[in-house]
Amino acid sequence: MVLTTVALLGLAFSLDLLIGEPPNALHPVAWFGRLVGTLDREWGTSERGQRLAGVGIAILAPLVPAAIAGGLVFALSEVSPLAAAVAAGVVLFVTTSLRSLLDLTETVVAATERGDESGVDRSGDLETARERVRGLVGRDTSTLSPAEIRSAAVESASENLADGLVATLLPFALLAPLSLPAAAAVAAWVKGVNTLDSMLGYPSKPHGTASARLDDLVMWLPARITAVAIAVARVDPFALERANAWAREPPSPNSGWPMATLACVLSVRLTKPGVYDLNVDAELPTVADGERAVTVVGQAAVVAVIVAVVLATGSTAIARALEGTAALLEAVVPAFGAFAEPVLERVAWRPAEVAS
C-alpha cells in the first residue's frame, strides 16, 4: 500500500512537471470555479440572510467535487484497480500545483530585475511584473515598486505552497493506503474549500464569511506544517521561533506562518503596505533573494513529499495492525463462544432448577 501511494505521488508530480497547469477549459478546478461564480450573488436583502446562505454554500459546494472525484475512483475500482489508482493520481495532480507556482514567481522576479536596471526605460518591464504578479496576489499592484513586487511574489509563493500543495497532498497520502476513493474525495474537498475562500472569502461578501472561516479551519495545520518544511529546507531550526514574532501580523490566522518563516530564513522583509510588515529589521528582497525564495519553496515541497510518504507508511502500519486485530478476533471469538456456551447454558438453567 505504501508503494502504491508513492507511485501515485510520483505520477501526480510527473504530470505537474511535464504539463504544469492544464488549460482552464480542461481544468476541473476551473470548472468548480464556474460553479462558485454562479453562487457569488446576493442571496437575501439582509446581511444575516446572506450569511446563512453562505453557510449552506460552504457546507454543500465542496461536496460536489469530493463526490465526483471519490465516486469516479470508486466506480473504476469495481472495473480495474489499476484504472482506479491512475484516476486517484490524476485527482491529486489537478488538486495540487507546484511547477506553475515556481515558474510564475521566477518570471515576476526576473521582470523586476530588468526593471531595476538603471539608465534604461524600465516601465515596460515593471508593467510586465505588475501584470504577472496578479496571478499570485489579489492586491492592487499599480503603484508597487520592483522590491515590493518581489515581496508580493515571495510571500505568495510561501502561502500558495500551503494552499496549493501541502493542504491536499498530506490528507491524500494519509488516506490512500486505506481507501483510494476516500483519498481522492478529501483532496478534491480541500481544493474546493480553498477555491471557495479565494473567490468568496472577502469582507465585502457576507455570503463568503462561512467559506472563509471553513478555510481558516482546514488550513490551520497545513500552514504550520509548511512553515516547518521551509525551516527544514533551509536547515534553520530557529526560524520558527523568529517567525513567531511576525506570524500573527497578517489578517489570516494561517498565512502568516509560512510567509514569516520564509522571510526569516531568507533574512528579508516582506510587506503588504498598510496591512502587515514581516521581519521589519531586514530589507525588502533583492532579485537574488527572489531567486533563493524559489529554490527554498521547491526544497520545502520536497520536504512535504517526504512527510507525505511518512504519513502513508504510518497509515499502512495502522491498517495492518487493525487487520491483524480483526483476524485475531475472528479466531478468538468463535473459540471463546464454544467455551462459554456450556457455561451460559448452565447459568440459564439454574434458576429453573432452584424454582423447582
Side-chain angles (χ1 to χ4, degrees):
M1 289 186 283
V2 174
L3 293 179
T4 299
T5 303
V6 171
L8 296 183
L9 298 183
L11 172 62
F13 283 99
S14 296
L15 291 173
D16 184 65
L17 291 174
L18 292 173
I19 300 174
E21 289 284 339
N24 283 345
L26 301 176
H27 205 312
V29 176
W31 301 344
F32 180 68
R34 295 190 192 102
L35 171 62
V36 176
T38 66
L39 303 174
D40 187 9
R41 60 185 180 85
E42 292 188 2
W43 289 90
T45 56
S46 68
E47 182 173 319
R48 182 174 181 273
Q50 292 193 60
R51 290 182 185 276
L52 288 175
V55 171
I57 292 171
I59 293 173
L60 297 177
L63 294 178
V64 175
I68 293 173
L72 174 63
V73 175
F74 178 78
L76 288 175
S77 67
E78 298 296 306
V79 179
S80 168
L82 177 59
V86 171
V90 172
V91 169
L92 180 61
F93 159 60
V94 299
T95 56
T96 56
S97 178
L98 181 61
R99 174 186 162 183
S100 62
L101 172 64
L102 299 180
D103 286 350
L104 184 54
T105 305
E106 196 169 35
T107 298
V108 170
V109 170
T112 63
E113 178 181 24
R114 293 189 296 272
D116 268 340
E117 293 175 356
S118 59
V120 298
D121 180 7
R122 65 184 192 177
S123 58
D125 292 312
L126 281 182
E127 285 307 310
T128 297
R130 290 190 178 110
E131 179 183 353
R132 295 294 181 87
V133 80
R134 291 190 189 103
L136 293 169
V137 298
R139 73 190 67 169
D140 179 17
T141 62
S142 59
T143 61
L144 297 183
S145 68
E148 289 172 334
I149 293 173
R150 286 191 291 270
S151 173
V154 168
E155 62 198 62
S156 182
S158 65
E159 182 181 5
N160 284 322
L161 178 63
D163 292 343
L165 179 69
V166 175
T168 49
L169 171 65
L170 298 189
F172 180 94
L174 183 65
L175 290 178
L178 307 176
S179 168
L180 286 180
V186 74
W189 183 82
V190 170
K191 193 64 178 178
V193 170
N194 290 158
T195 305
L196 273 180
D197 177 61
S198 66
M199 295 183 68
L200 304 182
Y202 297 95
S204 60
K205 298 182 178 183
H207 56 284
T209 300
S211 296
R213 297 294 177 267
L214 178 60
D215 184 76
D216 289 342
L217 180 64
V218 169
M219 289 303 302
W220 192 91
L221 186 58
R224 286 152 180 79
I225 292 175
T226 301
V228 173
I230 291 170
V232 171
R234 288 295 291 178
V235 196
D236 189 348
F238 298 106
L240 293 172
E241 181 180 352
R242 301 196 304 275
N244 184 52
W246 314 105
R248 296 170 184 82
E249 288 292 320
S252 166
N254 301 316
S255 63
W257 279 101
M259 290 193 300
T261 304
L262 187 59
C264 289
V265 300
L266 295 176
S267 297
V268 298
R269 174 185 164 207
L270 299 178
T271 183
K272 182 176 181 179
V275 181
Y276 55 79
D277 216 350
L278 311 179
N279 202 19
V280 294
D281 293 330
E283 299 294 329
L284 288 171
T286 64
V287 172
D289 293 328
E291 293 171 346
R292 285 195 299 132
V294 172
T295 300
V296 172
V297 170
Q299 292 170 340
V302 174
V303 174
V305 172
I306 295 173
V307 172
V309 173
V310 171
L311 286 176
T313 303
S315 181
T316 300
I318 292 173
R320 288 176 176 169
L322 292 176
E323 288 175 358
T325 302
L328 180 62
L329 289 174
E330 288 178 0
V332 169
V333 169
F336 177 78
F339 168 78
E341 184 175 359
V343 177
L344 294 175
E345 288 178 353
R346 180 66 176 170
V347 170
W349 171 78
R350 285 190 63 179
E353 180 184 54
V354 171
S356 62

